[in-house]
Amino acid sequence: MKINTIVLKVASRCNLNCSYCYVYNKGDETYKNKPKIFSIELNHILLKRILDYMNKYNINLYTIVFHGGEPLLAGIEYYKDFIRTYEEFFFATGKTINFVMQTNGTLLDKEFTQALFELDISIGISMDTTEATNSRYRVYHNNKSSYNEIKNGIDLCNEIIGNAGILSVINVEDTPIDTYSHLRSLNVNYANLLFPDENHDTILLNDTRGKIGKWLTEMFDLWFFDKDNDKPEIPLFSTLIKLILAIPDGNDIMGKGFGGTMIIETNGDIETNDTLRVCKSGITKSDYNIKNDALDSIKNIPLAELYYFAHHRLSQTCKDCILEDICAGGYLINRYSNKNGFNNESVYCQDIVKLVCHVQNIIAKETDRDLNLQPINVDEVLEDIENNKKTYNENKYLESF
Ligand code: SF4
């Protein structure tokens, strides 16, 4: 395992109360026992741990993602101090940390945006797929919509930094055309689309299987056939195109890459991807903390090891699937069930199949014949997978979580 990204929980609380949030509203209440802010003292320890790790694994470029809760709650001075300490620690080491912030954007004003720009901290803003959906789910603790403040944050990024990017969870309540129009109206440079954090048990409460695949294929068409050079990058689609063309790539959702991210909680705990908490309360809890342990201890956490190799430790159904190299089981969280642990295909398997086949067929038609890319029949792929599923294959390792 070689991890080059830390998602740092700068703040354990949030000024919003989004109804679907995995941190606060999916049953895991561990945040209540954590410090509200990752302290400056811990920052010193963390930077030293990162430098040790980079030296040990010969890594020259590392990434810290400031995350939360809501990372802007820490205030401007906190980040100035953080970057000052980083510059002192890393001076003349030949090593670099790339800083990113994932925020809800509501607390961005001119001064904060300018300060982050000058500190060379890139900003990604989370929002929902349209104004109406954002106003329904992405609300303050008094239920008031946060849309205007988020939009203001995006506008400030465009004005001061010259670019803006958003991250949205796919929501089939919004039509693809409304979603794409909204996206274009924001003038963002990129928009990442995430699958909802559902698994084989939780999906039963709001079953969107089938709908998501249809939604994604329509969204892909809107994006792919939009000939405007200023259209936003949608990493879910651009990565998929590369994988279909057998160009090595991948992310948490697809491809044969590795889950090179770890979490540092506000109390210094070293954990794996915390969205996995939606599978089972406390599932990401570990005994390691940066006060006592090197970052390397992440490799002793079984769930972190599974997360790192998530696209390589697959159920037999996925191993036998014709799309294995592209989909690689999908997002780990979407594979979980109480009954089988992670020994399942993605709960969005049929949606992924629809999207992959649709994109492959379009690319096969639109691109050079020399690529020799063959059209693929979605019904045949789905039938094959259903047949594979009929034989249950025990996997004690995947079922042990
Ligand atoms: S069986 Fe489904 S989830 Fe597994 S690799 Fe194939 S498409 Fe992906």
Side-chain angles (χ1 to χ4, degrees), residues 18-43:
C18 309
S19 52
Y20 48 69
C21 179
Y22 70 89
V23 182
Y24 306 107
N25 291 323
K26 291 277 188 179
D28 186 301
E29 302 212 321
T30 49
Y31 74 92
K32 287 184 176 167
N33 303 320
K34 305 249 166 69
K36 288 186 178 162
I37 301 286
F38 185 82
S39 70
I40 292 295
E41 293 72 36
L42 279 179
N43 172 23

Side-chain angles (χ1 to χ4, degrees), residues 317-318 321 324 327-329 345-346 349 353 385:
T317 307
C318 291
C321 173
E324 190 212 331
C327 167
E345 70 289 351
S346 167
C349 175
V353 171
I385 293 171

Side-chain angles (χ1 to χ4, degrees), residues 128-179:
D128 287 317
T129 35
T130 62
E131 177 174 353
T133 303
N134 197 97
S135 297
R136 199 174 318 135
Y137 298 113
R138 195 163 274 270
V139 292
Y140 290 97
H141 290 268
N142 64 3
N143 238 11
K144 180 180 161 283
S145 165
S146 61
Y147 185 81
N148 289 340
E149 289 78 9
I150 298 176
K151 169 81 169 50
N152 182 54
I154 293 169
D155 291 344
L156 284 169
C157 288
N158 273 328
E159 179 191 324
I160 294 170
I161 302 168
N163 64 69
I166 62 166
L167 184 150
S168 302
V169 175
I170 296 162
N171 190 328
V172 295
E173 291 172 41
D174 291 317
T175 63
I177 183 72
D178 285 350
T179 302

Side-chain angles (χ1 to χ4, degrees), residues 174-382:
D174 291 317
T175 63
I177 183 72
D178 285 350
T179 302
Y180 195 68
S181 303
H182 178 247
L183 199 55
R184 292 308 319 264
S185 73
L186 295 171
N187 284 322
V188 290
N189 300 71
Y190 74 88
N192 217 346
L193 294 172
L194 302 180
F195 280 82
D197 291 330
E198 304 293 351
N199 60 48
H200 287 268
D201 304 319
T202 59
I203 193 78
L204 301 173
L205 300 171
N206 176 23
D207 198 343
T208 54
R209 284 173 291 191
K211 292 181 193 159
I212 286 197
K214 183 170 178 297
W215 192 95
L216 279 169
T217 56
E218 290 173 21
M219 188 72 180
F220 177 83
D221 288 353
L222 289 166
W223 174 78
F224 185 78
F225 292 108
D226 180 351
K227 296 301 172 204
D228 186 344
N229 288 334
D230 289 333
K231 71 180 176 183
E233 160 91 356
I234 300 186
L236 177 66
F237 296 150
S238 43
T239 300
L240 178 55
I241 291 172
K242 282 191 206 152
L243 290 168
I244 286 171
L245 295 174
I247 300 168
D249 201 354
N251 51 34
D252 283 2
I253 299 172
M254 60 181 72
K256 282 290 193 180
F258 296 91
T261 303
M262 71 169 94
I263 305 285
I264 303 296
E265 287 288 347
T266 53
N267 63 357
D269 279 354
I270 298 170
E271 295 187 3
T272 186
N273 184 331
D274 64 332
T275 53
L276 285 158
R277 288 178 194 171
V278 298
C279 301
K280 190 156 67 176
S281 182
I283 193 173
T284 60
K285 180 106 196 64
S286 87
D287 296 328
Y288 300 100
N289 188 291
I290 56 169
K291 288 180 214 157
N292 309 312
D293 304 296
L295 295 184
D296 221 6
S297 50
I298 188 81
K299 66 177 190 287
N300 302 324
I301 302 171
L303 187 63
E305 201 255 1
L306 173 61
Y307 179 74
Y308 186 82
F309 292 105
H311 293 301
H312 302 261
R313 309 256 160 102
L314 299 172
S315 68
Q316 195 58 44
T317 307
C318 291
K319 283 186 196 163
D320 292 339
C321 173
I322 189 176
L323 302 182
E324 190 212 331
D325 284 344
I326 296 172
C327 167
Y331 199 21
L332 184 62
I333 291 154
N334 300 146
R335 293 182 220 162
Y336 186 80
S337 72
N338 270 323
K339 189 167 165 234
N340 301 332
F342 293 100
N343 189 21
N344 298 304
E345 70 289 351
S346 167
V347 73
Y348 295 117
C349 175
Q350 61 169 299
D351 302 278
I352 295 169
V353 171
K354 273 188 193 148
L355 176 65
V356 175
C357 294
H358 180 77
V359 174
Q360 173 146 339
N361 290 340
I362 284 182
I363 302 295
K365 203 167 138 196
E366 296 284 323
T367 54
D368 201 320
R369 282 174 196 278
D370 290 348
L371 286 173
N372 201 22
L373 198 59
Q374 297 304 318
I376 185 166
N377 185 300
V378 62
D379 293 329
E380 284 173 15
V381 177
L382 287 170

